[in-house]
């Protein structure tokens, strides 16, 4: 077999694998509903009548969110492990993890997503004002 025939055969195998994968998307129901994926695709200016492509985007989005959440969990564990050294007795009893915005921001930054959040979150517009300012 010469090199050209081998390349054509490999291309045929790749095409067959892609067709099988796209066919399997018809039977798969991703976590992100088709309607949600279609909405955000349309919002970005992309329209495609092929449901397989919409599901492919939904699966890729699901993978991205899962990877970001896993990385955020690792940041959370590392942050809380540093606290354990300082307060060993208290935290040994409470092993629940608390995901902070700081952990999520660091994880998303690894993927090129910069999250900017306020330093202070208020429950009401008057929160953080002194008493004299609230009465006015």
């Amino acid at each position: 077999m010469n090199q050209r025939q081998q390349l054509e055969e490999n291309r045929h195998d790749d095409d067959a694998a892609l067709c099988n994968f796209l066919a399997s998307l018809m039977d798969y129901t991703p976590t992100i509903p088709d309607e949600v994926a279609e909405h955000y695709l349309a919002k970005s200016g992309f329209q495609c009548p092929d449901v397989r492509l919409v599901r492919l985007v939904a699966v890729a989005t699901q993978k991205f969110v899962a990877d970001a959440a896993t990385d955020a969990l690792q940041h959370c564990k590392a942050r809380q492990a540093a606290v354990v050294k300082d307060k060993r007795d208290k935290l040994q009893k409470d092993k629940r993890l608390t995901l902070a915005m700081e952990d999520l921001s660091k994880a998303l930054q690894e993927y090129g997503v910069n999250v900017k959040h306020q330093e202070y979150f208020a429950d009401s517009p008057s929160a953080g004002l002194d008493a004299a300012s609230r009465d006015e």
Side-chain angles (χ1 to χ4, degrees):
M1 226 189 272
N2 65 17
Q3 188 176 8
R4 183 178 176 135
Q5 288 175 336
Q6 193 173 24
L7 286 174
E8 286 180 17
E9 188 174 306
N10 287 341
R11 184 178 303 160
H12 178 64
D13 291 343
D14 290 344
D15 289 345
L18 181 60
C19 287
N20 288 338
F21 176 70
L22 288 174
S24 70
L25 284 175
M26 290 305 292
D27 299 330
Y28 179 72
T29 305
T31 303
I32 300 170
D34 292 340
E35 293 80 14
V36 173
E38 286 175 354
H39 169 76
Y40 284 103
L41 285 171
K43 193 172 178 181
S44 68
F46 181 82
Q47 293 180 349
C48 181
D50 192 356
V51 117
R52 297 174 303 174
L53 192 58
V54 173
R55 286 190 181 168
L56 180 63
V57 170
V59 169
T61 304
Q62 180 179 335
K63 170 92 167 87
F64 173 78
V65 169
D67 288 349
T70 300
D71 290 349
L73 177 64
Q74 296 307 316
H75 285 288
C76 178
K77 286 180 180 179
R79 180 178 49 83
Q80 289 188 352
V83 174
V84 169
K85 292 178 184 176
D86 298 336
K87 301 176 183 177
R88 198 170 290 263
D89 295 333
K90 182 181 177 187
L91 289 178
Q92 290 295 341
K93 296 174 187 172
D94 187 19
K95 293 194 178 216
R96 287 186 290 164
L97 299 174
T98 304
L99 180 65
M101 190 66 185
E102 174 187 345
D103 304 324
L104 186 58
S105 295
K106 286 180 183 178
L108 288 173
Q109 195 170 23
E110 293 174 8
Y111 293 96
V113 178
N114 294 322
V115 178
K116 295 185 180 192
H117 53 88
Q118 298 175 353
E119 293 296 323
Y120 180 77
F121 294 97
D123 293 333
S124 68
S126 63
L129 298 176
D130 57 43
S133 300
R134 278 189 231 141
D135 295 333
E136 294 176 356

